[in-house]
Each structure stands twice: as structure tokens, then as C-alpha cells.
Amino acid sequence: MTSGAFNYASRPILETERLILRPTTVEDFPRWAEFMADPEAARFIGGAQPAPAAWRGFMTMAGAWALTGVSMFSVIEKATGLWVGRLGPWTPDGWPGTEVGWGLHPDAQGKGYGVEGATAAIDYAFDALGWTEVIHCIDPDNTPSQRLAERLGAVNAGPTRLPAPFQDIAVDRWVQSRDQWRARSR
């Protein structure tokens, strides 16, 4: 293992009341592929994709875990053991900041999993990763994600640009500092 490789023995696993957040495993792919094939669920994260394209995105998340130790977590519903989404820290090269992002499988939406999982992931980003700021890159038409960002205490700092090949996608940069996160009422 090289010095930059992720140590799987120490991989982070976060638990909330109803969820387990853990690094991606190959067993997650069937539900990931369903999620990415759904036009509405994938609308603001690149659009619906066939399984081979979804596989490449899936492997990107797994590869980020392996090479950097930081990537979105797979979200597992404790009651069923089902993969219900992916969320967490995300810092691709050229990204406009240290992001905690989210995306939930259609059958997991509307259950409060976004705020529950993102809260744990933001705590992790500030406490374990030492981040001083968390952003959320949100399409101006993505009202559900905007509401989630507001519930988390983020404010819209206006338009930002993503790196190529996403440079033409309109996104707003929602942001909050570690101090703001810690000062909010829970």
C-alpha cells in the first residue's frame, strides 16, 4: 500500500438512529444502478444513466475512498439493510470547495434520511477531517436540495462554477462555516 492509499482496516463507519454510513462496497452497485437509472432521482447529478455509465461513477466513489480516504458514504437503512443512497464529503480536483453532497434512491426520499445522514457527514467533515467550511453545490431548480441545505443551516452564496466537464452546469454554492455549524440550534 502506498502512503496515499486508504487503510480499509480503519475505514470510517458512522451510525445514526436509522442509518449506517460506510464506504462503498461492490454489493451496493445494483441499488446504485437503479438510483442512477431513475430520471427524477438522477436529474440534478448528471441525468439518468445506463448501468455501464453508472458503474464508472460508482467506481469513482470507491476509488476516491481507496486513494484519499474521503468520498461519499453509502447510506444503508438499518431496518432493512438496503442501500438507500450516497452522501458525504466530496472534494474532486478543481471543485469550488469542500462539499458534503447527497443523493437518495427514490424509495428512500421523503423519510428524513437526507438531513439525518448529512448531519452525521457534516459532523464527520468538521470533526474528523478538520474542514473549516462545508459547501453544497445545488442546481437553482433543485428545490428539495435547497430545502435540505436550509434545514442544515447553509446559506446560498450565489452561483459558482464546477470544473470541466461540468463547467456549463448552473449551480449555486450553499455554504456554512464550522463555527456556524457548531452554533446552530439542534
Side-chain angles (χ1 to χ4, degrees):
M1 181 175 355
T2 65
S3 61
F6 183 57
N7 179 354
Y8 278 90
S10 65
R11 66 187 200 159
I13 297 174
L14 311 180
E15 289 197 40
T16 68
E17 181 181 341
R18 301 176 297 159
L19 305 172
I20 297 169
L21 282 64
R22 58 152 174 78
T24 307
T25 66
V26 74
E27 294 80 16
D28 301 336
F29 184 68
R31 295 264 303 164
W32 177 294
E34 286 177 18
F35 161 66
M36 289 306 300
D38 184 278
E40 192 56 32
R43 178 177 171 200
F44 297 112
I45 54 172
Q49 301 174 352
W55 176 256
R56 288 188 287 281
F58 177 78
M59 294 306 283
T60 296
M61 291 293 173
W65 275 115
L67 296 175
T68 69
V70 176
S71 188
M72 289 193 191
F73 293 97
S74 279
V75 182
I76 309 302
E77 187 179 55
K78 282 183 178 180
T80 64
L82 281 177
W83 183 94
V84 295
R86 51 137 184 92
L87 61 77
W90 184 234
T91 58
D93 186 49
W95 215 248
T98 47
E99 179 167 24
V100 168
W102 49 77
L104 294 174
H105 192 282
D107 62 19
Q109 295 176 10
K111 297 180 179 183
Y113 290 165
V115 72
E116 185 176 333
T119 297
I122 292 170
D123 282 341
Y124 176 78
F126 287 139
D127 298 341
L129 300 178
W131 291 3
T132 58
E133 177 181 85
V134 162
I135 69 164
H136 317 291
C137 295
I138 302 175
D139 186 294
D141 294 330
N142 189 345
T143 305
S145 279
Q146 291 168 11
R147 284 194 304 262
L148 176 53
E150 288 171 345
R151 287 186 65 194
L152 294 167
V155 296
N156 188 343
T160 193
R161 290 193 50 130
L162 299 177
F166 310 109
Q167 71 275 8
D168 295 328
I169 298 173
V171 294
D172 289 332
R173 184 177 183 268
W174 290 71
V175 63
Q176 67 185 299
S177 70
R178 178 173 44 211
D179 292 339
Q180 290 167 326
W181 177 252
R182 291 181 176 155
R184 80 193 197 297
S185 65
R186 293 197 184 223

